[in-house]
Amino acid sequence: MNFVFKFLIVVLLLQKVYQQTNQILLGNMSSTATFLKTLSSRRTVYSLKPALPAGVTINNIQEVVETVVKQTPTAFNSQPNRAIILTGETHKKVWDAVVKNTPAGDAQKRPASERDTAYGTIIFFSDESITKKLQSDFAFYHDIFPVWAAEASGAAQISTWTALETLGLGANLQHYNAAIEAVLPEKIPKNWKIHSQLCFGSVDQAPAEKTFVENKVEIFN
Amino acid sequence: MNFVFKFLIVVLLLQKVYQQTNQILLGNMSSTATFLKTLSSRRTVYSLKPALPAGVTINNIQEVVETVVKQTPTAFNSQPNRAIILTGETHKKVWDAVVKNTPAGDAQKRPASERDTAYGTIIFFSDESITKKLQSDFAFYHDIFPVWAAEASGAAQISTWTALETLGLGANLQHYNAAIEAVLPEKIPKNWKIHSQLCFGSVDQAPAEKTFVENKVEIFN
């Protein structure tokens, strides 16, 4: 019996040594692999249920969006990204207005489905007063500042979408910009330019396989 | 002695049960926390050494860029993102040309430092023939397609930059678009529109603390 215990302990210790060596050798590679796997798991999910997964609250989502908006790099650290979260009655009211603003027929199906099956919507904006100030301060870059604001918004959008995936949520990205802008809550500043709407909820049905183009990244030495 | 072994085994088993319970309870939250921590660790690093960290190869970087470009979502799944990696003589030659294209004095310092201290450059493009095809096929969205291409490029840029951080690399994002475009390798198609240059290398000195604006994400119920 004593021998069995000693043997077990040696096995457990060797296992620990193996794990720690692995950690040292593969440390970087393994966090890169995890990050790329997380990115690759993010998908466009249209088949949603208007609920949050067990253990996830709207405040978890708020924390995700605030962290992403805060940490996303921007031109001259100007930080133009802004975001709000709609849920409950406000979410329903806004998407219902989009439905009514859309020609009757098939075109109404998507906004109606966001209204009825998504739990909430994250809306991404850029504060245009910041972009205009940069344009006036640095005339040389006048035409490129709005492009940089769009790229910084795209960065915040993908990081938020990927973070929602890690929370077990499904999401899809919409661009009903004009229709949504017309019915936003009163207190949203008029100088916030709308980029997109990330509609989220629990996953009802997983999406089908995605197709990719051949896209080699060449190295020039 | 027998008692000590039995006690040790009970301790090790309890530890295992605790770890597994934690994994189940905190599964989602913990991968979200890891993802947000990774995002927050990505910084603009100007103080670089022209080397790769131990165990990292240029092919690891190539795999990162290919995975990110592949997995970044795009309007109508049109996949306009393109990228190349410059290193060695090509990296030096391109940045040297930027230095010579820049007025003498302080303005030359940044491109000279990229030439001398970065190990390589990832250049991000959009294939404009794809954007133009979308504009002609879907006239209703004509003006927004270039904005969506910029947002999709921003998404690929931030995910690449964050993945390089997980590999232990430092990086900074530059926009010497016109000067770089003039001296790109011959085989780059003329319809690839350049967005930015992510210069990378080993971290020499970590950057100073970053400052943030107050940026609350409000929930509307």
Side-chain angles (χ1 to χ4, degrees):
Chain A
M1 201 59 174
N2 205 337
F3 169 77
V4 173
F5 283 126
K6 282 181 184 164
F7 180 74
L8 255 172
I9 286 176
V10 169
V11 167
L12 286 165
L13 286 174
L14 282 176
Q15 195 184 27
K16 195 79 191 162
V17 168
Y18 172 77
Q19 283 168 354
Q20 300 229 329
T21 314
N22 247 345
Q23 185 95 37
I24 292 163
L25 285 178
L26 302 174
N28 288 349
M29 287 305 166
S30 129
S31 70
T32 307
T34 302
F35 180 75
L36 294 179
K37 195 162 164 263
T38 303
L39 279 188
S40 307
S41 305
R42 180 223 53 80
R43 294 291 310 279
T44 291
V45 181
Y46 286 123
S47 181
L48 297 172
K49 285 179 291 188
L52 297 179
V56 175
T57 69
I58 194 74
N59 294 102
N60 297 141
I61 295 171
Q62 182 183 35
E63 200 199 328
V64 158
V65 183
E66 284 189 348
T67 306
V68 168
V69 166
K70 178 177 175 182
Q71 299 291 350
T72 299
T74 54
F76 297 15
N77 196 23
S78 55
Q79 302 174 60
N81 280 323
R82 300 289 179 268
I84 60 172
I85 301 170
L86 312 183
T87 183
E89 282 311 304
T90 308
H91 168 86
K92 283 196 179 304
K93 213 180 69 186
V94 163
W95 283 104
D96 194 57
V98 177
V99 172
K100 288 179 176 134
N101 187 53
T102 305
D106 275 359
Q108 289 186 333
K109 282 186 183 165
R110 179 72 61 214
S113 132
E114 305 299 4
R115 177 191 63 199
D116 301 332
T117 73
Y119 183 84
T121 308
I122 301 164
I123 308 188
F124 294 93
F125 306 86
S126 298
D127 184 338
E128 279 219 298
S129 66
I130 293 179
T131 306
K132 284 179 180 151
K133 175 90 166 57
L134 288 168
Q135 288 179 313
S136 125
D137 289 354
F138 306 96
F140 181 75
Y141 297 109
H142 185 278
D143 293 348
I144 196 78
F145 278 125
V147 178
W148 288 345
E151 293 185 13
S153 177
Q157 292 171 50
I158 192 64
S159 297
T160 303
W161 195 349
T162 311
L164 293 194
E165 149 69 26
T166 68
L167 283 171
L169 286 153
N172 62 76
L173 191 70
Q174 300 302 321
H175 299 86
Y176 289 89
N177 295 352
I180 296 265
E181 206 159 35
V183 291
L184 282 177
E186 277 292 319
K187 67 185 290 192
I188 304 303
K190 296 294 170 232
N191 50 314
W192 286 19
K193 179 193 155 80
I194 190 168
H195 286 280
S196 66
Q197 303 85 47
L198 188 62
C199 300
F200 61 89
S202 294
V203 178
D204 190 11
Q205 287 189 294
E209 283 294 301
K210 192 174 174 180
T211 55
F212 298 105
V213 299
E214 176 77 28
N215 203 339
K216 179 106 189 108
V217 172
E218 201 167 340
I219 300 173
F220 295 89
N221 292 300
Chain B
M1 201 57 175
N2 204 337
F3 170 76
V4 172
F5 284 126
K6 281 181 185 164
F7 179 74
L8 253 174
I9 286 177
V10 169
V11 167
L12 286 166
L13 285 175
L14 282 174
Q15 196 184 28
K16 194 78 191 164
V17 169
Y18 172 77
Q19 282 169 354
Q20 300 231 327
T21 314
N22 248 345
Q23 185 95 37
I24 291 162
L25 285 177
L26 302 174
N28 288 350
M29 288 306 168
S30 130
S31 70
T32 307
T34 302
F35 180 75
L36 294 179
K37 194 161 165 263
T38 303
L39 279 188
S40 308
S41 306
R42 180 223 53 82
R43 293 291 310 279
T44 291
V45 181
Y46 286 123
S47 181
L48 297 172
K49 286 179 291 189
L52 297 179
V56 175
T57 68
I58 195 73
N59 295 103
N60 297 142
I61 295 171
Q62 182 184 35
E63 200 198 329
V64 158
V65 183
E66 284 189 348
T67 305
V68 168
V69 166
K70 178 178 175 179
Q71 299 292 350
T72 299
T74 54
F76 297 14
N77 195 24
S78 55
Q79 303 174 60
N81 280 322
R82 300 288 179 270
I84 61 172
I85 301 171
L86 311 183
T87 184
E89 282 311 304
T90 309
H91 167 87
K92 284 197 178 304
K93 213 179 70 185
V94 163
W95 283 104
D96 194 57
V98 177
V99 172
K100 290 182 174 133
N101 187 54
T102 306
D106 275 358
Q108 289 186 333
K109 281 186 183 165
R110 179 72 62 214
S113 134
E114 305 298 4
R115 177 192 61 198
D116 301 333
T117 74
Y119 182 84
T121 309
I122 301 163
I123 308 187
F124 294 92
F125 306 86
S126 298
D127 184 338
E128 280 219 298
S129 66
I130 292 179
T131 306
K132 283 178 180 152
K133 174 88 167 57
L134 288 169
Q135 288 179 312
S136 125
D137 289 354
F138 306 96
F140 181 74
Y141 298 109
H142 184 278
D143 293 348
I144 196 77
F145 279 124
V147 179
W148 288 345
E151 294 186 13
S153 178
Q157 292 171 50
I158 191 63
S159 297
T160 303
W161 196 349
T162 311
L164 292 194
E165 148 70 26
T166 68
L167 283 172
L169 287 154
N172 62 77
L173 192 69
Q174 300 303 320
H175 299 86
Y176 290 89
N177 295 352
I180 296 266
E181 206 159 33
V183 291
L184 281 177
E186 277 292 319
K187 67 184 289 190
I188 306 301
K190 296 295 169 232
N191 50 313
W192 286 18
K193 179 192 155 82
I194 190 168
H195 285 280
S196 67
Q197 303 85 48
L198 187 63
C199 299
F200 61 90
S202 293
V203 178
D204 189 12
Q205 287 188 296
E209 284 294 300
K210 191 173 175 181
T211 56
F212 298 105
V213 299
E214 175 78 27
N215 203 339
K216 180 106 188 106
V217 172
E218 200 167 341
I219 300 173
F220 295 89
N221 292 300

